[in-house]
């Protein structure tokens, strides 16, 4: 898969209230705080919001998968953790690979959250992540990885290679 985002590990941030965004990312809402959680970015809010945004290029008709590796110290609804603006289209969510709706909440613990969209129109597309991306919340979450891939990348052929002679162009081996 080809990750279409830069700085997927969210490095280069400075903890604080509001703190400084990771390299290549920009402030969205800044009433909460960010902290360093063993090298990962931790968003903490108390009836407020702290989120960052990333401007990307989207293509009408393409389907994109945005994925976050999250550790939730408190429960949070998916639609308070990740959102898109500047695009419209068919939108779905997943929690740990299981279909979900935006109001579904993460339980405390580690999760992989996905947002999938097939774009029908686009202006200036923006990915927003953090705690309280749509409204004020009380939350405490850590994000250690974010990605954006084309959905078709998940269906690329794959060939198991054990030795230097296993690989060839025979499509029956895919």
């Amino acid at each position: 898969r080809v990750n279409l985002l830069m700085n997927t590990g969210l490095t280069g941030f400075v903890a604080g209230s509001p703190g400084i965004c990771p390299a290549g990312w920009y402030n969205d809402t800044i009433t909460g705080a960010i902290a360093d959680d063993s090298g990962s970015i931790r968003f903490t809010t108390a009836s407020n919001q702290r989120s960052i945004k990333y401007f990307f290029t989207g293509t009408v008709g393409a389907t994109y998968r945005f994925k976050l590796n999250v550790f939730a110290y408190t429960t949070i609804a998916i639609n308070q953790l990740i959102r898109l603006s500047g695009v419209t289209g068919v939108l779905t969510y997943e929690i740990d690979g299981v279909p979900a709706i935006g109001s579904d909440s993460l339980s405390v613990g580690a999760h992989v959250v996905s947002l999938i969209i097939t774009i029908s129109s686009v202006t200036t597309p923006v990915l927003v992540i953090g705690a309280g991306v749509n409204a004020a919340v009380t939350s405490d979450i850590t994000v250690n990885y974010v990605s954006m891939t084309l959905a078709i990348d998940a269906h690329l052929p794959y060939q198991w290679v054990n030795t230097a002679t296993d690989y060839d162009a025979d499509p029956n081996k895919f």
Side-chain angles (χ1 to χ4, degrees), residues 5-14 19-27 34 41 50 52-55 129 146:
L5 297 180
M6 294 175 54
N7 194 8
T8 59
L10 302 169
T11 59
F13 68 90
V14 176
I20 297 174
C21 294
W25 291 75
Y26 299 89
N27 281 321
I34 57 175
I41 191 168
R50 183 61 176 107
I52 58 175
K53 59 188 174 184
Y54 188 94
F55 295 90
I129 65 170
V146 59

Side-chain angles (χ1 to χ4, degrees), residues 146-157:
V146 59
S147 68
M148 172 187 169
T149 58
L150 286 167
I152 59 171
D153 281 356
H155 306 292
L156 293 175

Side-chain angles (χ1 to χ4, degrees), residues 13-145:
F13 68 90
V14 176
S17 184
I20 297 174
C21 294
W25 291 75
Y26 299 89
N27 281 321
D28 187 52
T29 54
I30 58 170
T31 54
I34 57 175
D36 188 336
D37 189 358
S38 301
S40 298
I41 191 168
R42 187 171 184 169
F43 298 89
T44 306
T45 57
S47 296
N48 54 20
Q49 300 169 272
R50 183 61 176 107
S51 57
I52 58 175
K53 59 188 174 184
Y54 188 94
F55 295 90
F56 66 94
T57 301
T59 303
V60 171
T63 301
Y64 297 92
R65 175 182 295 271
F66 298 87
K67 189 181 290 187
L68 300 176
N69 289 355
V70 178
F71 188 90
Y73 293 96
T74 58
T75 61
I76 186 171
I78 301 172
N79 61 10
Q80 289 289 18
L81 176 66
I82 183 172
R83 76 172 158 85
L84 297 175
S85 63
V87 295
T88 57
V90 178
L91 180 72
T92 58
Y93 297 96
E94 293 177 353
I95 299 174
D96 300 324
V98 177
I101 59 173
S103 59
D104 286 347
S105 289
L106 296 180
S107 59
V108 172
H111 300 281
V112 175
V113 175
S114 297
L115 179 152
I116 302 105
I117 186 169
T118 300
I119 296 178
S120 59
S121 69
V122 62
T123 54
T124 304
V126 180
L127 168 66
V128 181
I129 65 170
V133 299
N134 283 305
V137 296
T138 297
S139 187
D140 187 1
I141 56 125
T142 293
V143 178
N144 67 8
Y145 180 78

